[in-house]
């Protein structure tokens, strides 16, 4: 993280000088006027807009006194769906000489947002998906490629959906999905091979690589056309359904062959953990104690053993964790009581729906007035209080009610909306950084957004490999990015088509997008050819090769962005 911040600060310094030069040249021959609250320039449209028609990019070419009024009256500067209007905060509240400080604060805020995004996905979103899977009694294979993939890829998918919601930030989605794909197939896969050289399962590996290659080259074709229709967006989802069916059929064929070879079916059930610690003497807590213990995210025993850096992260996460515990119910199918907490779950009936109406579309629908008098959120609050009272007075602390499984559905919806809200803020911050530093959305997507969404999976997969399960780790690598690509592009574009009743334009931002596409395609082709040539053995030498490939790609991408290399 320190290295990432150092690189970012160096980039800020270099880009700051470049922006200052651009501003001086621009103001020497351009006179910008404000006419009928719409900013216009005497220069041609291609000078005042970037390649994606984002008029907000012009703000850095104006004098400091003009910037605040410009961002207030330019639709592209106010089109972000986040709760914070970052262009207005940056250019209206911060003096021009403190703009570097604002950028530094935004970088730190970005780090916090990524931290919160991972927290929601791992501690609230994934457990509820697991509970839903258990309730539906899905097999491990089906659950792995559906609910588990959704849980692991939630940050990437929701970030892509937020980026596709506006044409000027669509480059972030393409950069993030392609950048994460290269990062996972090179850095993560290479690190696994370095930590634990192993032989991959041939058929699952080829299956995953082929489907991912199909998704990547299809996206490459869409980018070449410059637009995507509803049928093509639905086709992304259809391709993922075909992938899921292939996984199910492959598992069925494998199990049947194994049954024939062994002569008898071998089944295995879940191992039950009977080693739970039970109190020696019966002890009954009051309702107030149960509630206070449930919303306390800090374990005193773990706190004493933590390193000081881990304690700092814990302190940062405590306010967010308390807020999430108060608003998102979590059902744990592995616990005897399924994580039932009568006072807290009763409160969730009030807070959960409130979060839904106040975060969906940035609270637009929650603030609507019924009959011109009562806001929607007040009606939701009243209904929630009524239902909460019924649940509280008709249940006990000791035993979960029969309808407790419904809390997993509520937790799934609420945590998904929290993830969507945080993802929208991340996209808004990255959009602003691109405007201020004159960086394309593609380079921000393939670096900051891709790294932020993938670094957690990277450490998790490396840990799994160290524990002696490298095959599981490599399967998680490819399975996750297939879901992210197909659902990120397909669902993101499909929702945008429903909102605009039109096709979605996907215009590449210069040569960098093609460099990104070519690098990802080349990495997959190399994996498809070199791994079978090595008899599906991933050695440390191959791991080093993958890491070098990513370093070279990143260097070429950055040099292309700064126009040192021109094609």
């Amino acid at each position: 993280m320190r290295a990432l911040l150092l690189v970012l600060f160096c980039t800020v310094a270099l880009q700051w000088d470049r922006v200052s030069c651009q501003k001086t040249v621009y103001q020497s021959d351009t006179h910008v006027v404000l006419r009928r609250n719409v900013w216009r320039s005497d220069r041609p449209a291609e000078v005042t807009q970037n390649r994606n028609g984002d008029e907000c990019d012009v703000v850095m070419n104006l004098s400091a006194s003009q910037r605040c009024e410009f961002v207030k009256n330019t639709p592209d500067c106010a089109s972000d769906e986040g709760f914070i209007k970052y262009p207005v905060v940056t250019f209206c509240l911060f003096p021009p000489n403190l703009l570097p400080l604002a950028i530094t604060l935004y970088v730190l805020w970005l780090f916090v947002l990524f931290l919160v995004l991972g927290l929601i996905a791992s501690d609230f979103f994934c457990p509820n998906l697991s509970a839903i899977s258990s309730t539906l009694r899905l097999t491990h294979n089906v659950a792995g490629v559906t609910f588990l993939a959704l849980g692991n890829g939630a940050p990437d998918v929701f970030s892509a959906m937020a980026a596709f919601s506006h044409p000027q930030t669509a480059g972030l989605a393409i950069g993030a999905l392609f950048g994460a794909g290269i990062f996972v197939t090179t850095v993560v896969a290479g690190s696994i091979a370095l930590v634990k050289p192993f032989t991959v399962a041939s058929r699952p590996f080829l299956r995953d690589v082929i489907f991912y290659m199909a998704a990547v080259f299809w996206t490459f074709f869409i980018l070449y056309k410059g637009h995507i229709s509803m049928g093509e967006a639905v086709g992304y989802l259809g391709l993922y359904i075909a992938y899921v069916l292939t996984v199910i059929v492959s598992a069925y064929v494998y199990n049947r062959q194994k049954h024939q070879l062994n002569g008898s079916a071998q089944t295995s059930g879940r191992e039950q953990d009977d080693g739970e610690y039970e109190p020696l003497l019966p002890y009954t807590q009051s309702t107030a104690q149960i509630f206070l213990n449930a919303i306390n995210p800090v374990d005193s025993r773990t706190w004493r053993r933590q390193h000081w850096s881990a304690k700092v992260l814990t302190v940062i996460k405590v306010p967010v964790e308390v807020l999430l515990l108060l608003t998102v119910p979590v059902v744990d199918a592995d616990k005897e009581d399924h994580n039932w907490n009568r006072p807290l779950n009763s409160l969730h009936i009030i807070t959960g729906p409130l979060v839904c109406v106040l975060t969906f579309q940035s609270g637009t629908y929650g603030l609507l007035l019924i009959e011109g008098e009562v806001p929607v959120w007040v009606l939701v609050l009243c209904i929630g209080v009524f239902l909460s009272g019924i649940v509280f007075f008709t249940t006990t602390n000791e035993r979960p009610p029969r309808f407790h499984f419904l809390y997993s559905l509520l937790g799934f919806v609420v945590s998904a909306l929290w993830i969507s809200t945080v993802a929208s803020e991340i996209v808004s911050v990255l959009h602003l950084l691109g405007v201020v530093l004159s960086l394309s959305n593609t380079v921000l997507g393939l670096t900051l957004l891709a790294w932020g969404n993938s670094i957690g999976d990277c450490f998790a997969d490396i840990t799994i490999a160290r524990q002696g399960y490298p095959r599981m780790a490599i399967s998680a690598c490819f399975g996750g990015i297939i879901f992210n690509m197909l659902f990120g592009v397909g669902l993101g574009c499909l929702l945008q088509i429903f909102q605009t009743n039109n096709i979605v334009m996907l215009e590449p931002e210069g040569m960098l997008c093609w460099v990104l596409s070519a690098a990802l395609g080349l990495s997959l082709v190399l994996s498809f050819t070199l791994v079978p040539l090595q008899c599906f053995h991933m050695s440390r030498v191959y791991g080093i090769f993958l890491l070098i490939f990513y370093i070279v790609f990143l260097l070429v991408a950055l040099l292309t962005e700064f126009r040192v290399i021109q094609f």
Side-chain angles (χ1 to χ4, degrees):
M1 179 55 66
R2 286 181 295 181
L4 174 60
L5 292 176
L6 179 60
V7 171
L8 187 59
F9 288 149
C10 292
T11 305
V12 168
L14 291 173
Q15 287 298 102
W16 193 257
D17 292 337
R18 192 174 79 165
V19 169
S20 300
C21 294
Q22 289 176 346
K23 172 187 167 185
T24 304
V25 172
Y26 184 87
Q27 288 183 334
S28 63
D29 63 350
T30 304
H31 176 62
V32 182
V33 294
L34 177 63
R35 186 179 295 123
R36 292 183 184 180
N37 290 332
V38 178
W39 282 88
R40 298 176 181 175
S41 174
D42 296 334
R43 305 192 85 185
E46 61 269 16
V47 177
T48 60
Q49 296 181 4
N50 73 345
R51 289 179 292 272
N52 282 341
D54 188 359
E55 294 181 355
C56 198
D57 283 352
V58 183
V59 67
M60 295 307 298
N61 297 326
L62 305 177
S63 63
S65 60
Q66 294 175 314
R67 292 174 182 171
C68 179
E69 195 67 25
F70 176 82
V71 297
K72 288 181 177 179
N73 294 278
T74 302
D76 284 345
C77 294
S79 60
D80 294 333
E81 293 186 353
F83 284 91
I84 303 175
K85 302 304 178 185
Y86 295 97
V88 175
V89 172
T90 304
F91 299 110
C92 296
L93 299 184
F94 280 93
N97 58 328
L98 293 183
L99 199 53
L101 173 63
I103 295 174
T104 304
L105 293 177
Y106 286 144
V107 172
L108 296 176
W109 176 232
L110 201 61
F111 169 74
V112 173
L113 289 175
F114 278 124
L115 197 67
V116 173
L117 195 65
L119 174 66
I120 301 172
S122 62
D123 292 358
F124 296 88
F125 192 69
C126 288
N128 282 312
L129 284 179
S130 178
I132 294 173
S133 175
S134 299
T135 302
L136 297 177
R137 298 181 180 179
L138 300 179
T139 64
H140 291 176
N141 289 319
V142 177
V145 296
T146 53
F147 288 109
L148 183 58
L150 177 59
N152 293 336
D156 305 85
V157 173
F158 280 98
S159 297
M161 290 169 58
F164 275 123
S165 62
H166 296 288
Q168 62 266 29
T169 56
L172 277 174
I174 298 298
L177 293 173
F178 276 42
I182 298 178
F183 183 83
V184 169
T185 56
T186 56
V187 176
V188 179
S191 300
I192 293 172
L194 282 174
V195 170
K196 190 77 173 178
F198 68 104
T199 301
V200 299
S202 57
R203 285 182 295 184
F205 177 80
L206 292 176
R207 176 199 65 207
D208 293 345
V209 172
I210 290 172
F211 269 96
Y212 192 48
M213 288 174 64
V216 169
F217 285 112
W218 190 1
T219 307
F220 183 87
F221 175 71
I222 295 296
L223 290 175
Y224 179 77
K225 289 200 313 176
H227 62 83
I228 181 172
S229 64
M230 179 179 292
E232 292 166 335
V234 173
Y236 274 92
L237 305 181
L239 183 59
Y240 189 76
I241 293 175
Y243 171 71
V244 172
L245 294 177
T246 303
V247 172
I248 296 173
V249 172
S250 299
Y252 172 77
V253 172
Y254 173 77
N255 290 331
R256 187 170 182 177
Q257 291 178 346
K258 185 178 178 181
H259 172 74
Q260 292 175 349
L261 290 174
N262 294 338
S264 61
Q266 296 181 0
T267 58
S268 59
R270 286 187 179 181
E271 295 182 1
Q272 301 295 329
D273 184 9
D274 296 326
E276 300 211 2
Y277 294 96
E278 299 290 342
L280 297 179
L281 296 175
Y283 173 69
T284 303
Q285 291 182 322
S286 65
T287 300
Q289 288 176 319
I290 293 174
F291 177 78
L292 293 176
N293 290 335
I295 63 172
N296 179 19
V298 180
D299 187 346
S300 58
R301 293 170 297 180
T302 305
W303 173 267
R304 299 190 192 100
R305 298 191 300 267
Q306 284 182 329
H307 189 263
W308 67 267
S309 58
K311 291 183 178 180
V312 171
L313 289 178
T314 301
V315 171
I316 294 174
K317 293 191 297 183
V318 161
V320 179
E321 283 192 85
V322 172
L323 176 62
L324 293 172
L325 288 170
L326 290 172
T327 56
V328 184
V330 177
V331 178
D332 191 346
D334 294 330
K335 290 185 178 180
E336 185 179 353
D337 61 353
H338 290 186
N339 207 35
W340 165 251
N341 189 292
R342 175 170 161 255
L344 183 58
N345 288 150
S346 298
L347 180 64
H348 285 150
I349 300 178
I350 302 174
T351 57
L354 274 179
V355 168
C356 293
V357 298
L358 293 178
T359 57
F360 184 68
Q361 294 292 326
S362 300
T364 303
Y365 296 101
L367 299 178
L368 290 177
L369 298 179
I370 302 175
E371 298 293 333
E373 296 180 359
V374 181
V376 172
W377 70 267
V378 173
L379 176 62
V380 173
L381 175 64
C382 295
I383 296 175
V385 170
F386 174 73
L387 295 177
S388 176
I390 294 177
V391 171
F392 184 82
F393 290 109
T394 58
T395 57
T396 63
N397 293 331
E398 292 76 20
R399 180 178 299 177
R402 292 183 177 179
F403 56 82
H404 185 227
F405 71 94
L406 295 176
Y407 277 90
S408 61
L409 298 176
L410 177 62
F412 165 75
V413 174
V414 178
S415 57
L417 286 172
W418 272 126
I419 291 176
S420 178
T421 300
V422 177
S424 297
E425 294 297 325
I426 291 175
V427 170
S428 299
V429 174
L430 290 176
H431 180 221
L432 176 73
L433 291 177
V435 169
V436 174
L437 302 177
S438 297
L439 293 171
S440 68
N441 288 323
T442 304
V443 76
L444 288 171
L446 72 91
T447 53
L448 294 182
L449 189 54
W451 294 340
N453 286 337
S454 303
I455 197 68
D457 294 336
C458 177
F459 287 121
D461 292 337
I462 292 174
T463 301
I464 292 174
R466 282 178 175 171
Q467 293 174 349
Y469 304 101
R471 284 190 175 186
M472 183 186 300
I474 202 70
S475 298
C477 288
F478 283 94
I481 55 179
I482 292 173
F483 177 86
N484 296 345
M485 176 68 73
L486 295 176
F487 259 72
V489 178
L491 194 58
C493 291
L494 195 61
L495 292 178
Q496 182 64 10
I497 291 172
F498 285 151
Q499 292 177 1
T500 60
N501 294 322
N502 201 353
I503 61 175
V504 175
M505 303 302 297
L506 297 176
E507 298 180 4
E509 298 184 15
M511 288 304 303
L512 180 60
C513 187
W514 302 118
V515 170
L516 180 58
S517 303
L520 180 55
L522 179 59
S523 69
L524 291 175
V525 170
L526 290 176
S527 297
F528 186 71
T529 55
L530 295 181
V531 174
L533 288 176
Q534 301 176 91
C535 298
F536 296 95
H537 182 73
M538 297 189 68
S539 61
R540 287 192 172 91
V541 175
Y542 185 70
I544 295 174
F545 167 75
L546 291 178
L547 295 177
I548 294 175
F549 181 92
Y550 184 78
I551 294 173
V552 172
F553 151 73
L554 193 60
L555 182 62
V556 172
L558 293 177
L559 291 178
T560 303
E561 170 67 15
F562 295 117
R563 298 185 180 179
V564 176
I565 298 178
Q566 296 185 5
F567 296 93

